[in-house]
């Protein structure tokens, strides 16, 4: 390349011999912007932790605050000695899980389960269809001879959306999240909706407990280990629950020592923009969402949204001519469609890059609609983008965990380990997510108030329905 050509490339990065793709100079400049947009410094995290704690404490003091901090009517925590067989239903944002759970005592249990993807067609329109879908799958599950043999069974219902509980077995749907929009059932009792759908199919099953998925995960892990104080969900959505002393719940007079609070943490910072540093892609994502203006914290953290942030940044890269579309890509590709790239695919790319399987990376990248040869820094660029987006998610989640820890922890009790049960496919499957989250939590807590990190995250794989069973059983003991 002549000296003149070199200068041209520098001055006009798009005019290189490789056509529009290139230029490393241009890509580096774009990446620097993205790095700055996705970075959160230690000081930012400490400040956000303090604000999260403030919002949580407001939510406990008054109704209808940014953090709803919903009381759950769980007054008896499982001891781990409970026994019995229960039918469970767990409705998430992506999956419906139906199970037969046997609590064996001594913190052990056995599960037989079936999992179904919730069809996209049910996510808008009448919410009754969702409950019909649950009932149909329960009916199919009950047809298994080994389940038939256990009838009659009581049912524990895990519901991963905000509910205003009226008792352990009743709760009104406050609203949907995770891009479900079925307004006709808002304000209705989720248990009644399920109970009626079951009866319509002739199923004589009593729904005895309703728990949020965070609450289910917490109760199940308490059943396994009484040192558990908190739970976090990192799946389609993100949320957390923890054990609270009733004296601290000033908005409600409760005659019990302790209960579980479902924080509904996805809405942190929603009403105070200075509490949550959103960027152009967060705002774009929010504006195209079915619940625009809501769940802004969740939208920076959870599986439903990380792939979309990734897509928006890649698509902007194409627009700025930093990246090039595949020549054979059709007029529309995944890159052009809202939610066109899922977190699973982003995760698959990241995993392949970590394993140095660059051929697979190129194939996945081309599936997105981007020309992806190795050797020009492009795969590295995409992999760094995956890392930055997932790292920001980990950091924000660590902020929430730390704020709750600081709110409840008795710092005199030096020896106590603070166990946090974590569930959801993002946490389980995204490369290194679980390890980085643990490291982040410890790094925020390395200040003078904690000598060493007492917060320990525990993988609570698919436990949310076990907790619904434990909730029913614990009431009888
Ligand atoms: P639910 O939220 O319905 O309870 P999960 O906890 O299984 O279900 O979470 C499903 C979400 O997890 C998917 O929508 C996706 O965003 C994310 N996910 C699934 N597989 C992976 C993966 N391999 N890597 C990262 N995220 C994943
Ligand atoms: Mg779930």
């Amino acid at each position: 390349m002549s000296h003149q050509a070199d200068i041209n490339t520098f001055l006009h990065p798009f005019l290189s011999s490789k056509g529009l793709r290139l230029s490393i100079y241009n890509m580096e400049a774009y990446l620097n912007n993205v790095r700055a947009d996705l970075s959160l410094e230690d000081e930012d995290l400490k400040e956000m932790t303090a604000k999260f704690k403030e919002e949580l404490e407001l939510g406990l003091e008054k109704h209808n605050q940014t953090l709803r901090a919903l009381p759950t009517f769980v007054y008896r925590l499982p001891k781990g000695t409970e026994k019995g067989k229960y039918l469970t239903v767990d409705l998430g944002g992506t999956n419906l899980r139906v199970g037969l759970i046997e609590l064996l005592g001594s913190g052990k249990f056995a599960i037989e389960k079936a999992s179904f993807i919730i069809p996209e067609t049910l996510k808008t329109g009448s919410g009754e269809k969702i409950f019909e879908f649950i009932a149909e799958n329960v009916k199919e599950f009950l047809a298994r001879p080994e389940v038939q043999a256990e009838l009659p069974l009581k049912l524990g219902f895990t519901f991963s959306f905000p509910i205003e509980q009226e008792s352990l077995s009743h709760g009104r749907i406050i609203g949907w999240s995770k891009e479900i929009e079925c307004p006709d059932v808002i304000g209705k009792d989720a248990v009644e909706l399920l109970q009626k759908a079951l009866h319509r199919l002739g199923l004589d099953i009593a729904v005895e407990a309703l728990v949020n998925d965070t609450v289910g995960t917490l109760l199940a892990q308490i059943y396994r280990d009484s040192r558990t104080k908190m739970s976090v969900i990192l799946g389609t959505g993100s949320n957390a629950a923890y054990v609270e002393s009733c004296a601290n719940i000033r908005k409600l007079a409760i005659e019990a020592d302790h209960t579980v609070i479902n924080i509904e943490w996805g809405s942190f910072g929603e009403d105070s923009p200075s509490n949550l540093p959103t960027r152009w892609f967060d705002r774009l994502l929010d504006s195209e969402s079915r619940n625009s203006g809501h769940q802004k914290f969740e939208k920076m953290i959870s599986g439903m949204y990380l792939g979309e942030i990734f897509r928006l940044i890649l698509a902007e890269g194409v627009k700025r001519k930093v990246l090039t579309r595949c020549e054979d890509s059709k007029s529309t590709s995944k890159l052009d469609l809202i939610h066109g790239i899922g977190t699973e695919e982003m995760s698959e790319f990241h995993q392949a890059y970590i394993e140095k399987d660059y051929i697979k990376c190129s194939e996945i990248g081309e599936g997105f609609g981007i020309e992806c040869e190795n050797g020009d820094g492009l795969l590295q660029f995409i992999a760094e983008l995956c890392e930055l987006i997932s790292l920001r998610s980990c950091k924000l989640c660590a902020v929430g965990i730390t704020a709750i820890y600081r709110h409840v922890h008795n710092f005199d009790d030096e020896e106590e380990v603070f166990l946090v049960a974590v569930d959801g496919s993002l946490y389980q499957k995204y490369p290194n997510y679980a390890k980085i989250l643990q490291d982040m939590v410890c790094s925020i807590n390395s200040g003078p108030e904690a000598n060493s990190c007492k917060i320990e995250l525990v993988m609570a794989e698919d436990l949310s329905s076990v907790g619904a069973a434990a909730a029913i059983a614990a009431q009888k003991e």
Side-chain angles (χ1 to χ4, degrees):
M1 197 185 272
S2 73
H3 177 66
Q4 191 56 45
D6 238 332
I7 291 175
N8 278 343
T9 307
F10 181 73
L11 294 176
H12 307 284
F14 312 139
L15 299 179
S16 81
S17 58
K18 277 182 136 185
L20 291 181
R21 174 155 52 90
L22 231 166
S23 124
I24 297 200
Y25 158 77
N26 211 24
M27 200 151 68
E28 193 56 30
Y30 184 53
L31 190 53
N32 273 336
N33 285 342
V34 172
R35 280 189 192 119
D37 279 341
L38 286 165
S39 93
L40 286 170
E41 302 298 331
D42 288 357
E43 272 316 299
D44 302 328
L45 299 180
K46 286 188 175 151
E47 214 173 287
M48 280 175 77
T49 302
K51 286 172 177 170
F52 194 111
K53 185 168 172 285
E54 269 171 36
E55 283 200 11
L56 173 61
E57 284 163 6
L58 263 177
L60 293 168
E61 197 182 315
K62 298 183 211 155
H63 293 281
N64 303 321
Q65 299 302 299
T66 308
L67 289 184
R68 291 196 189 93
L70 299 166
T72 57
F73 292 82
V74 172
Y75 300 133
R76 289 180 182 213
L77 299 176
K79 295 190 189 81
T81 51
E82 295 82 355
K83 288 185 179 171
K85 290 183 182 171
Y86 299 90
L87 189 63
T88 57
V89 162
D90 173 4
L91 183 75
T94 303
N95 300 296
L96 165 69
R97 295 176 172 102
V98 182
L100 173 65
I101 293 188
E102 181 172 11
L103 301 176
L104 298 162
S106 65
K108 302 235 173 351
F109 47 81
I111 312 180
E112 164 152 4
K113 64 182 173 180
S115 187
F116 312 88
I117 300 277
I118 304 164
E120 284 304 313
T121 48
L122 298 188
K123 294 187 177 174
T124 52
S126 170
E128 298 276 354
K129 288 184 300 178
I130 295 183
F131 291 89
E132 270 160 31
F133 171 72
I134 300 176
E136 281 158 13
N137 285 299
V138 168
K139 187 170 182 177
E140 203 181 302
F141 187 74
L142 289 179
R144 294 184 182 191
E146 63 279 22
V147 183
Q148 273 284 315
E150 302 298 340
L151 288 173
L153 286 164
K154 290 173 176 167
L155 190 150
F157 185 17
T158 305
F159 188 71
S160 310
F161 303 91
I163 33 178
E164 186 85 61
Q165 275 206 251
E166 291 158 357
S167 67
L168 184 61
S169 55
H170 286 282
R172 292 183 190 284
I173 302 173
I174 297 175
W176 295 96
S177 56
K178 296 171 265 219
E179 304 306 304
I180 295 186
E181 193 181 27
C182 298
D184 62 329
V185 293
I186 291 175
K188 292 191 180 167
D189 183 346
V191 168
E192 233 167 72
L193 287 162
L194 177 58
Q195 192 73 78
K196 281 185 182 158
L198 292 168
H199 284 162
R200 277 199 294 274
L201 294 186
L203 302 174
D204 187 20
I205 298 280
V207 185
E208 297 243 328
L210 172 67
V211 294
N212 182 267
D213 56 341
T214 53
V215 179
T217 301
L218 178 61
L219 296 179
Q221 184 58 33
I222 290 177
Y223 182 81
R224 292 208 294 202
D225 189 330
S226 62
R227 297 172 306 163
T228 313
K229 303 290 189 302
M230 178 183 170
S231 65
V232 176
I233 296 292
L234 288 157
T236 314
S238 182
N239 186 16
Y242 71 103
V243 180
E244 178 62 282
S245 152
C246 291
N248 287 338
I249 310 170
R250 285 201 263 142
K251 63 184 173 185
L252 209 64
I254 303 173
E255 284 181 25
D257 285 345
H258 288 90
T259 190
V260 172
I261 291 288
N262 163 17
I263 302 175
E264 285 300 334
W265 86 4
S267 55
F268 169 66
E270 199 161 282
D271 304 312
S272 318
S274 63
N275 285 6
L276 196 62
T278 55
R279 304 293 182 226
W280 64 268
F281 38 82
D282 298 310
R283 294 188 280 273
L284 196 53
L285 180 148
D286 183 54
S287 70
E288 70 195 16
S289 161
R290 287 184 182 142
N291 64 346
S292 181
H294 299 288
Q295 303 293 105
K296 290 185 183 170
F297 188 60
E298 176 174 73
K299 284 171 179 164
M300 295 163 88
I301 295 180
S302 77
M304 177 97 231
Y305 302 103
L306 298 191
E308 179 61 3
I309 295 172
F310 177 66
R311 183 193 73 86
L312 287 169
I313 298 174
L314 289 178
E316 180 64 20
V318 169
K319 217 155 95 190
R320 294 188 188 197
K321 305 196 182 342
V322 173
L323 309 172
T324 310
R325 287 175 185 282
C326 295
E327 274 167 26
D328 60 349
S329 93
K330 297 169 222 110
S331 49
T332 55
S333 67
K334 288 184 175 182
L335 217 51
D336 305 302
L337 299 172
I338 295 177
H339 289 283
I341 301 177
T343 305
E344 295 97 314
E345 289 169 282
M346 172 183 158
S347 163
E348 201 188 352
F349 180 96
H350 201 168
Q351 183 64 41
Y353 192 85
I354 291 168
E355 288 166 5
K356 300 192 169 61
D357 187 347
Y358 303 126
I359 294 174
K360 188 170 178 188
C361 286
S362 297
E363 281 167 10
I364 299 170
E366 287 179 10
F368 299 154
I370 299 171
E371 199 169 302
C372 265
E373 279 167 35
N374 196 16
D376 53 10
L378 217 133
L379 296 183
Q380 194 183 348
F381 168 90
I382 300 177
E384 184 171 346
L385 185 54
C386 293
E387 197 169 310
L388 290 168
I389 294 170
S390 56
L391 182 62
R392 186 180 70 151
S393 160
C394 274
K395 286 182 175 177
L396 292 171
C397 184
V399 161
I401 293 173
T402 303
I404 296 159
Y405 172 73
R406 300 235 167 115
H407 167 76
V408 299
H409 195 64
N410 175 4
F411 287 102
D412 299 336
D413 195 354
E414 282 300 321
E415 293 314 311
E416 183 97 335
V417 178
F418 189 89
L419 285 190
V420 182
V422 195
D423 190 18
S425 292
L426 178 70
Y427 180 75
Q428 284 167 27
K429 297 180 185 163
Y430 197 95
N432 300 327
Y433 196 103
K435 183 185 177 309
I436 295 172
L437 181 57
Q438 175 72 67
D439 290 349
M440 280 298 145
V441 165
C442 289
S443 109
I444 304 180
N445 281 288
S446 61
E449 61 274 33
N451 299 329
S452 64
C453 189
K454 297 278 168 35
I455 308 174
E456 211 176 293
L457 308 186
V458 187
M459 178 87 72
E461 200 170 331
D462 289 347
L463 285 198
S464 40
S465 26
V466 176
I472 303 175
Q475 305 321 300
K476 294 193 305 190
E477 293 262 310

